[in-house]
Amino acid sequence: MPDSPRPPSARPPSVDALARELRDVGLPHPLLVDAARAAIAAGDPWSARSRAEATAAALLGPVVNATGVILHTNLGRAPLPVLPSGGARRYSNLEFDLVGGKRASRSDHAARLLALAVGAEAALVVNNGAAALMLVLAALARGRSVVVSRGELVEIGGGFRVPEVMVQSGCALVEVGTTNRTRLGDYRAAVDEQVALLLKVHQSNYRMVGFTEEVGVAALSTVGPPVVADIGSGLLDAATPWLAGGPPAWLAGEPAARQTLAAGAGLVTFSGDKLMGGPQAGIIAGRRELVALCARHPLNRALRPGGLVLAALQETALAYLRRDGDAIPFWRMAAAPVDGLRARAEALGVGKVVDTVAVAGGGSVPGQEVPSAGVAVDGDHAARLRAFSPPIVARVHEGLTVCDLRTVDPADDPVVAEALAACTS
Ligand SMILES: *Cc1c(COP(=O)(O)O)cnc(C)c1O
């Protein structure tokens, strides 16, 4: 709604009177008072309404992702399977053994199912992938040293740098090899009684090509100390048994939890909301005694997730165990055939149908393109689309506004059609 024009002889209204005029914006009174006060302080009381509306629009809420980036970190990475049923809204058996009637562990639900899904003896869930690595290092290597290849001292983004995480966890970093080449002999030469772990970190968000060499988990596990692999993206199984068509071509080379453990890793750590397609979480999976050390460490209490996350994770894990990739929005979107996307684009009846390139995103499978389709309209309408309800986030490319349908829920197609039509009329 446009701001009301200033009446010629009006005196500035009181904060309270102004806030009361904004009631229809639908925000709690203190937020309206805040908007009114800011408007008066700025010498422009008539801006109170647009300030209140901006506050309402900035609240956490759903958006339509038309960017073609399936795991968009700014848009909350993976959308969740379904509204979690298990214990999200009511009391739950989060830490209660219903048979014995006594206290149990919150690791008995999702963590146990995920261990089964990746063929691990045990698993533990924490708040995110960064927390998982931090807890593993603190629990298994505090006061000792950890060997890492110089090619894997990476920054993942958001300030997560492997050498700094090491310092925070109280372990000494032993760098081996060079940026582009590290050999098994480099690890062997570095191992002494101070070394608690060999750490392998997946170069999630970039790719090194050319004169390179790295040591795989199978070879590393012959050296002696337990191998911890931070695989990052959380692909559970390279064979993707939850997809009828098998692994898509763009997944090539992405490490998977099941195969990394089978190759001899003592533990793997990964995110819940990247290729796993669940809620924000970090998963530690592997050998029982190593997981138990992590579970017993005091940091675990500080890093443990709440029932809401565990309920959503349980839904995700059950879908994997049922081999039902369709029930996991990430995989449903990632595996959708391009023909179907083109047909949906035609059906929108606005703009022109274009071939596009989607990506998995979230720092996984860098450089791999997922063929996709969408619609394009002339001009830059990105800001107008973001102002829609629900907001639509699109891409602008060479003077065209492009909506990639791979990341749009088909249920939102009418919203996209209506918004694009409004932009172009
Ligand atoms: C993404 C990533 C992390 C961080 O995981 P979050 O869930 O974002 O905290 C850590 N290590 C690797 C290799 C990653 O790809």
Side-chain angles (χ1 to χ4, degrees):
M1 206 183 285
D3 290 348
S4 27
R6 182 197 296 254
S9 64
R11 287 193 314 158
S14 72
V15 168
D16 204 51
L18 198 49
R20 264 183 280 118
E21 272 177 40
L22 302 173
R23 235 178 280 167
D24 62 293
V25 177
L27 288 174
H29 190 65
L31 288 173
L32 299 178
V33 168
D34 211 45
R37 194 166 280 141
I40 289 170
D44 186 11
W46 318 102
S47 69
R49 175 165 294 275
S50 58
R51 286 169 192 268
E53 283 170 352
T55 299
L59 292 175
L60 186 61
V63 306
V64 175
N65 174 9
T67 63
V69 181
I70 310 176
L71 302 168
H72 198 305
T73 299
N74 299 159
L75 304 181
R77 285 198 186 150
L80 288 182
V82 286
L83 265 184
S85 55
R89 219 161 48 79
R90 311 175 49 163
Y91 290 115
S92 70
N93 56 338
L94 180 64
E95 291 187 353
F96 188 62
D97 169 4
L98 288 169
V99 176
K102 41 185 205 309
R103 183 174 181 166
S105 158
R106 61 179 68 201
S107 286
D108 291 344
H109 322 283
R112 208 171 62 79
L113 302 177
L114 285 169
L116 196 60
V118 301
E121 289 174 3
L124 181 67
V125 180
V126 291
N127 273 324
N128 51 43
L133 182 58
M134 205 164 163
L135 177 56
V136 166
L137 293 174
L140 306 183
R142 180 175 291 276
R144 299 180 67 197
S145 48
V146 175
V147 181
V148 191
S149 159
R150 289 197 171 90
E152 297 172 12
L153 294 175
V154 299
E155 171 172 325
I156 305 300
F160 183 81
R161 291 176 150 186
V162 169
E164 289 162 18
V165 173
M166 292 265 191
V167 172
Q168 289 303 320
S169 305
C171 353
L173 167 64
V174 177
E175 303 177 16
V176 294
T178 61
T179 303
N180 56 326
R181 307 196 83 184
T182 304
R183 303 189 188 83
L184 188 58
D186 296 325
Y187 287 94
R188 284 226 164 93
V191 169
D192 58 24
E193 67 285 356
Q194 264 307 302
V195 170
L197 299 172
L198 306 184
L199 176 65
K200 187 135 184 79
V201 184
H202 181 47
Q203 300 155 348
S204 299
N205 44 11
Y206 72 105
R207 196 134 280 183
M208 208 150 64
V209 295
F211 189 56
T212 64
E213 185 173 343
E214 62 171 315
V215 185
V217 166
L220 277 188
S221 64
T222 65
V223 175
V227 177
V228 171
D230 176 11
I231 63 169
S233 292
L235 178 62
L236 295 193
D237 186 335
T240 62
W242 56 89
L243 294 182
W250 50 263
L251 208 51
E254 191 67 15
R258 175 178 285 278
Q259 284 73 19
T260 304
L261 289 170
L267 289 178
V268 290
T269 64
F270 53 92
S271 297
D273 55 354
K274 294 182 180 172
L275 294 182
M276 197 177 112
Q280 181 191 305
I283 291 96
I284 299 167
R287 294 215 316 254
R288 192 181 314 283
E289 76 279 9
L290 299 178
V291 173
L293 284 170
C294 297
R296 278 204 297 275
H297 192 276
L299 253 187
N300 181 37
R301 177 63 177 75
L303 301 175
R304 72 183 193 183
L308 208 57
V309 165
L310 290 173
L313 206 55
Q314 173 174 279
E315 295 292 335
T316 312
L318 288 171
Y320 276 109
L321 292 172
R322 283 195 306 265
R323 302 190 162 192
D324 183 5
D326 250 4
I328 303 166
F330 169 78
W331 287 110
R332 190 166 65 230
M333 292 188 290
V338 183
D339 287 350
L341 300 178
R342 260 190 223 114
R344 280 170 55 199
E346 296 278 2
L348 291 189
V350 60
K352 63 173 186 288
V353 178
V354 289
D355 286 336
T356 57
V357 173
V359 293
S364 44
V365 287
Q368 297 289 336
E369 301 183 337
V370 185
S372 189
V375 291
V377 297
D378 284 326
D380 180 350
H381 304 286
R384 238 185 119 183
L385 290 173
R386 286 197 307 273
F388 253 78
S389 176
I392 298 167
V393 184
R395 256 188 323 201
V396 176
H397 183 65
E398 292 177 347
L400 295 173
T401 300
V402 180
C403 287
D404 192 314
L405 291 186
R406 185 169 291 285
T407 48
V408 175
D409 186 328
D412 289 330
D413 282 1
V415 177
V416 173
E418 186 194 336
L420 286 176
C423 287
T424 53
S425 64

